[in-house]
Amino acid sequence: MITFKRLKSFWCLLFFLLFILVDAKAEGLQQTVSSKRTRDNFDSSWLFHKGDIAIKRAVKAGGYGGLTDVNVKVETNKVAVIAYTDVDKAATFKPEDWKEVNLPHDWCVEGTFVNDNSIGSSPAVSGYLPGGIGFYRKEFEIPETDKGKKISIEFDGIFRNSTVWVNGQLIGNHQSGYTPSNYNLTDVLRYGNEGKNVILVKVDATEYEGWWYEGAGIYRHVWLTKTDRLHVARFGTYVTTPSISTDKASVSIKTTLKNEYKVAKNFTLVSKIVDNKGVVLDTKTTSRAIEPFSSTEIAQKGAIQKPLLWSPEKPNLYKVLTEVTENGNIIDTYETTFGVRTIEFNRNGFFLNGKLYPVKGTCNHQDFAGIGVALPNKVNWYKLKLLKEVGSNAYRCSHHPPTPELLDMCDSLGLLVLDENRMLSSTEDGLKDLTTMLYRDRNHPSIFMWSMENEEWIQGTVTGTRILETMVETTHKIDPTRPVTAAMNHGRNDNGYSDVLDVVCYNYGDKKLAYVKDHEKYPKRIEFCTETTSFISTRGEYKNDWGKGYVSNLGLWQSGWGPLPGEDWADIVKYPFLGGLFVWTGFDYRGEPTPYQWPCVTSHFGFMDICGFPKDGYYAYKAAWTNEPVVHIFPHWNLPGKEGDSIKVHCYTNCDEVELFLNGKSIGRQKAIPYTKLIWPLIYQPGKLEVRGYKVGKLVTKDIVETTSASSEVVLNSDVNTLKADGCDVAIIKIAIKDAKGRVVPTANNLVKFSIEGPGRIIGTGNGNPSSHEPDKATQRMAFNGYCLVLVQSKKQVGVIKLKASSDILKGDEILIKTKK
């Protein structure tokens, strides 16, 4: 007999089964509307507000309102108690208080220099530009069809201490200015006719992380990523080549998948190894099930026949193309670039692909003239290209992880990379920053070593050793394929600090030949030079000037300061077990204006200035690092009032012999000593100074310096004549002040004014003067010792950009640059 109680139980069970069926169909429907992964650039059309805005902490979810949302009162259920939500916690959005910007953006470089030694972590180091607090806001729409996808936002870099709200919800906070932050927005977004979305980012750059110019703002790219809820995890692939021979390279592929559905899923993972032409070389397929709300790592092993090895000379690249399929449908895709190469450090030096490979590197901060730290991709590429041209084969990211695009460029251009963690720390936040760098960057073939820290005060202490060991062990676990080091200027031989490292790196180990003595004293120690030289000079200057903040190119700032440019390389040749070096630095950078402070606002360390114009020391490294015949003489020969005075002429060269002529008369011929500067004393006479370089008795190159006449014209020279009409591409335009015979006037300081027409905009100017207080965001710039620079960025329209340059008493110039889709 069926009782009412049993009947009730039957209907409850039936209802429950129907609920499960409907829910499962809904899950399937959500999946069918999902599509392959998209990663959209989210840089354009932000609004920026400089200065703090009070936002009180909300004690209920979604309780912020105001400018954190679309200018509506906090959304509440009418049945709920209103007491907590009748006042927005954030101020009302007022468009007139904001300006439109595109990212990357550094508001600090837009400021005015202030002679205030309280700015920065110590006096002068931040370049006398204050940081402060700023806000970024953007309204955007998400289509109805994106319901059911996972949607996240990735900030490649915000300096610093950033807080993010979306649609009135507090999403999260990220302290570091050098590691990326990622937020899952899926639940808080509005889809289709639910309404517009608002993202608000507060950036608090009142504190500092380093002792150089660090900028302020969302200074790297932002990405909006949409995936199926079953997808490759963030930084979810790890590709290595465990064994390599001439005939074959084995390829290990580890892929981490995440299932964010509430039901288990059956999937197939397909990994295709392709060459740079897209030809599939091997395919690996794995089918498996994954539990709900879980992740799994899948290991696959493939191979490349007759692999092309990666090196700075031949940067051959491959890719793994990842496909995740369910029921025959591709639901996620992912790309991983990698290279095939071997790296080894031993007591004899550094070996790349089995051959001794001296590293010719430079240390570099991330800023550039006119734009601070907010570098468009093209400017990063331009800087790397200049380093390659001088003969450099390696780049040290001083002293923090770089923007990810820079690593992509080093992979493709061919530059080894020492990737460096910001700070010695085994705290939760410190290890999170370290592991983020490792997971993000470990597939790049250009990276040959990890650096845990630079010149920390607690190097060589018991506490420092314990912290370092934790970081080294963490790094080995995540990436056992690369050695780990720390850049040390003291404490190397104390309390076992060096013993926990794979490679012991020396900053200025040339002092008393510390690295040579330690090589003999510690028979198991493997060494490398992470920082050398620190030669300070101001482009085009040949005497020290305390008032102007200029440093001569002719000699050391003071005795015992360090080697002259190029002399550091002599130790690498003599002691190849050192493996190579990183010169401090490739470029001048904002802040740390050694040896002066105010009025200097940039450093003097680079062998190129902050615009990329070569100093005299540039040619010492070009002579040491390339096979191209080099002779370079200095100073310039515009020396009015010095007639009859004794003058020394200096020369960097890699020739066997060099002969100097003044107005056609030989001053003498000298045999060159490798990596050593030549000097001739002579009596100054205006005219023509010429040096001729000989190899095996044959004339192979020459350099000429002449006394010029007065400035006559402005001449423009762009690195390109075509730009992409994408709103991002940049032309780097050098301006030279020349005389009537077309010779650069080496002392010219004329004011150059710019005007622009067509689909382009001026995004910055510079001139390499370390004491210039002119605004970088301007349509004019003083030349400094003959040169200045202007950066022109394309808009999104096809057309012709016309840039004109004029100076009051000089003949002007103009240049045309086409923009193309």
Side-chain angles (χ1 to χ4, degrees):
M1 180 177 178
I2 300 176
T3 66
F4 176 77
K5 187 175 180 180
R6 287 182 178 176
L7 189 62
K8 182 179 178 182
S9 298
F10 169 77
W11 284 110
C12 287
L13 177 61
L14 182 61
F15 178 78
F16 177 69
L17 292 172
L18 285 171
F19 175 79
I20 291 176
L21 181 62
V22 170
D23 189 58
K25 286 183 176 180
E27 282 279 301
L29 182 62
Q30 283 186 343
Q31 181 177 310
T32 59
V33 299
S34 299
S35 59
K36 300 176 191 176
R37 173 184 301 257
T38 61
R39 184 172 181 261
D40 298 324
N41 183 276
F42 210 58
D43 287 348
S44 63
S45 302
W46 288 75
L47 295 177
F48 172 69
H49 177 280
K50 187 175 180 181
D52 201 3
I53 302 173
I55 300 180
K56 296 181 180 180
R57 186 169 184 85
V59 297
K60 296 285 186 178
Y64 283 92
L67 59 88
T68 72
D69 211 328
V70 284
N71 242 3
V72 297
K73 286 289 182 184
V74 174
E75 177 187 4
T76 61
N77 188 317
K78 290 181 181 179
V79 227
V81 179
I82 308 296
Y84 295 102
T85 56
D86 57 352
V87 177
D88 290 343
K89 300 302 180 182
T92 302
F93 172 60
K94 298 177 180 177
E96 63 271 18
D97 295 337
W98 300 66
K99 71 172 184 177
E100 185 169 341
V101 298
N102 293 323
L103 308 180
H105 178 244
D106 174 4
W107 84 69
C108 193
V109 75
E110 300 170 353
T112 301
F113 297 101
V114 180
N115 186 4
D116 181 352
N117 282 332
S118 70
I119 298 172
S121 57
S122 58
V125 297
S126 292
Y128 296 103
L129 285 172
I133 295 174
F135 284 79
Y136 294 84
R137 187 179 188 273
K138 180 171 179 171
E139 297 185 8
F140 60 102
E141 296 182 355
I142 298 293
E144 179 78 19
T145 52
D146 282 344
K147 267 188 182 176
K149 297 180 184 179
K150 178 182 178 179
I151 302 178
S152 60
I153 192 165
E154 180 100 9
F155 295 92
D156 284 344
I158 304 175
F159 196 86
R160 63 174 301 278
N161 187 11
S162 56
T163 305
V164 178
W165 294 263
V166 173
N167 294 342
Q169 305 275 353
L170 177 61
I171 303 300
N173 173 265
H174 188 77
Q175 292 286 316
S176 172
Y178 297 111
T179 56
S181 52
N182 184 281
Y183 302 101
N184 182 359
L185 307 183
T186 307
D187 292 344
V188 301
L189 290 172
R190 299 184 181 110
Y191 300 85
N193 59 13
E194 292 175 8
K196 280 189 175 182
N197 296 277
V198 172
I199 183 167
L200 180 75
V201 183
K202 178 182 180 179
V203 182
D204 185 348
T206 55
E207 297 292 337
Y208 306 88
E209 296 186 45
W211 52 94
W212 54 87
Y213 175 84
E214 299 181 281
I218 307 178
Y219 73 98
R220 293 179 180 171
H221 294 302
V222 183
W223 306 93
L224 194 68
T225 301
K226 303 175 183 179
T227 67
D228 190 90
R229 295 196 183 198
L230 174 58
H231 57 273
V232 178
R234 182 187 183 214
F235 313 139
T237 58
Y238 182 38
V239 181
T240 58
T241 50
S243 65
I244 301 171
S245 69
T246 304
D247 294 327
K248 181 180 176 181
S250 64
V251 181
S252 169
I253 307 166
K254 294 181 179 179
T255 307
T256 300
L257 295 183
K258 290 187 72 175
N259 178 16
E260 298 187 50
Y261 286 107
K262 51 190 175 185
V263 296
K265 290 287 183 177
N266 294 308
F267 66 88
T268 298
L269 174 70
V270 180
S271 300
K272 299 176 182 178
I273 302 171
V274 302
D275 64 16
N276 62 358
K277 296 180 181 177
V279 176
V280 178
L281 306 177
D282 198 2
T283 302
K284 295 299 169 184
T285 303
T286 304
S287 296
R288 193 172 293 179
I290 184 171
E291 293 301 309
F293 301 110
S294 66
S295 62
T296 185
E297 182 182 85
I298 298 170
Q300 299 171 311
K301 295 197 178 295
I304 299 172
Q305 306 300 322
K306 298 191 179 302
L308 301 175
L309 301 184
W310 185 96
S311 70
E313 292 71 32
K314 294 182 179 180
N316 298 299
L317 295 173
Y318 295 90
K319 284 184 180 180
V320 170
L321 305 181
T322 303
E323 295 177 354
V324 182
T325 66
E326 185 184 18
N327 298 325
N329 297 317
I330 297 175
I331 58 173
D332 194 25
T333 56
Y334 197 84
E335 283 191 8
T336 308
T337 299
F338 72 101
V340 179
R341 88 286 183 267
T342 63
I343 52 175
E344 180 189 1
F345 284 89
N346 60 37
R347 290 275 293 172
N348 297 315
F350 171 64
F351 292 79
L352 178 65
N353 298 326
K355 297 179 180 179
L356 184 67
Y357 193 87
V359 173
K360 308 167 182 176
T362 62
C363 305
N364 295 283
H365 285 306
Q366 61 180 345
D367 63 316
F368 193 70
I371 48 179
V373 295
L375 273 64
N377 292 350
K378 166 61 183 296
V379 178
N380 273 316
W381 180 89
Y382 179 76
K383 291 179 69 176
L384 295 176
K385 179 173 172 287
L386 293 180
L387 293 172
K388 288 279 288 186
E389 288 173 356
V390 78
S392 178
N393 60 20
Y395 186 101
R396 179 184 173 203
C397 307
S398 304
H399 301 291
H400 53 77
T403 187
E405 289 77 20
L406 183 135
L407 296 176
D408 294 337
M409 295 171 194
C410 289
D411 290 343
S412 59
L413 284 172
L415 281 163
L416 291 163
V417 173
L418 177 62
D419 205 350
E420 191 155 79
N421 181 60
R422 171 67 287 277
M423 183 178 287
L424 183 72
S425 173
S426 58
T427 65
E428 182 179 353
D429 286 343
L431 290 178
K432 183 179 179 182
D433 285 342
L434 172 63
T435 56
T436 298
M437 176 186 79
L438 297 170
Y439 283 122
R440 187 195 72 169
D441 297 347
R442 62 183 179 171
N443 289 314
H444 289 279
S446 56
I447 297 173
F448 74 113
M449 187 158 53
W450 304 109
S451 174
M452 298 294 95
E453 54 93 353
N454 174 77
E455 298 182 357
E456 291 281 357
W457 290 346
I458 59 173
Q459 287 177 349
T461 66
V462 173
T463 301
T465 300
R466 285 197 292 262
I467 294 171
L468 181 64
E469 187 169 20
T470 297
M471 297 175 72
V472 171
E473 289 175 352
T474 300
T475 303
H476 284 159
K477 183 177 180 180
I478 292 173
D479 178 31
T481 71
R482 293 178 179 87
V484 182
T485 191
M488 293 179 279
N489 65 347
H490 68 282
R492 305 179 191 97
N493 304 328
D494 300 331
N495 293 302
Y497 198 83
S498 293
D499 297 340
V500 304
L501 296 169
D502 303 313
V503 179
V504 179
C505 279
Y506 287 70
N507 287 8
Y508 311 104
D510 60 299
K511 296 184 185 300
K512 299 182 180 180
L513 285 179
Y515 43 40
V516 176
K517 294 175 182 177
D518 286 353
H519 182 74
E520 297 170 356
K521 186 176 181 180
Y522 302 96
K524 293 184 178 180
R525 180 174 292 184
I526 298 170
E527 299 178 343
F528 190 81
C529 302
T530 32
E531 202 164 306
T532 68
T533 308
S534 281
F535 182 73
I536 48 178
S537 63
T538 306
R539 177 180 57 79
E541 293 295 321
Y542 300 100
K543 65 179 181 179
N544 296 326
D545 191 323
W546 279 89
K548 293 181 178 179
Y550 298 157
V551 187
S552 172
N553 284 267
L554 296 177
L556 296 178
W557 162 251
Q558 60 186 30
S559 60
W561 178 266
L564 292 170
E567 289 182 352
D568 49 352
W569 191 247
D571 275 3
I572 305 303
V573 174
K574 188 175 181 179
Y575 308 112
F577 61 80
L578 295 174
L581 56 73
F582 286 97
V583 177
W584 190 266
T585 54
F587 298 86
D588 284 346
Y589 52 94
R590 295 175 185 276
E592 206 175 11
T594 309
Y596 312 111
Q597 293 186 7
W598 187 269
C600 289
V601 295
T602 74
S603 78
H604 300 77
F605 289 114
F607 58 64
M608 287 180 275
D609 69 18
I610 198 170
C611 297
F613 294 123
K615 303 181 188 179
D616 297 302
Y618 168 99
Y619 298 94
Y621 289 103
K622 192 172 182 68
W625 289 348
T626 73
N627 295 321
E628 177 185 335
V630 173
V631 287
H632 172 76
I633 49 173
F634 56 102
H636 62 72
W637 217 234
N638 283 26
L639 304 172
K642 295 289 185 180
E643 291 81 1
D645 288 358
S646 178
I647 298 291
K648 290 181 178 178
V649 174
H650 301 238
C651 177
Y652 291 122
T653 187
N654 56 8
C655 295
D656 301 333
E657 292 184 300
V658 178
E659 187 171 11
L660 181 69
F661 295 84
L662 175 59
N663 295 329
K665 181 181 178 181
S666 176
I667 304 300
R669 187 161 172 158
Q670 294 190 40
K671 288 188 176 181
I673 301 172
Y675 322 117
T676 303
K677 183 173 64 173
L678 301 178
I679 299 176
W680 288 265
L682 51 76
I683 302 300
Y684 175 70
Q685 299 174 10
K688 180 180 179 181
L689 198 64
E690 180 178 350
V691 67
R692 299 173 185 173
Y694 299 86
K695 285 196 172 185
V696 199
K698 293 184 178 180
L699 176 66
V700 290
T701 188
K702 62 182 179 179
D703 187 27
I704 294 173
V705 174
E706 294 182 280
T707 308
T708 71
S709 54
S711 300
S712 176
E713 61 178 342
V714 177
V715 178
L716 300 177
N717 180 23
S718 175
D719 72 318
V720 293
N721 55 25
T722 302
L723 292 175
K724 298 173 186 175
D726 59 1
C728 303
D729 205 1
V730 176
I732 293 96
I733 301 168
K734 296 182 283 190
I735 297 95
I737 307 298
K738 296 187 176 183
D739 70 3
K741 292 185 177 181
R743 301 170 296 189
V744 176
V745 180
T747 57
N749 61 355
N750 305 75
L751 177 65
V752 181
K753 297 180 179 180
F754 307 106
S755 63
I756 191 166
E757 301 173 11
R761 54 181 165 262
I762 293 172
I763 60 170
T765 63
N767 60 13
N769 181 352
S771 300
S772 173
H773 297 169
E774 300 168 85
D776 288 75
K777 304 295 184 180
T779 56
Q780 63 180 35
R781 194 76 183 202
M782 298 282 292
F784 177 64
N785 290 336
Y787 294 99
C788 61
L789 187 82
V790 62
L791 304 176
V792 171
Q793 188 171 57
S794 65
K795 295 181 181 178
K796 293 186 177 181
Q797 296 80 35
V798 172
V800 177
I801 300 169
K802 179 188 288 188
L803 180 76
K804 294 181 179 180
S806 61
S807 188
D808 286 345
I809 60 173
L810 308 182
K811 179 184 176 183
D813 196 9
E814 66 179 45
I815 195 166
L816 301 179
I817 301 171
K818 294 181 180 179
T819 59
K820 295 182 177 180
K821 287 293 184 185

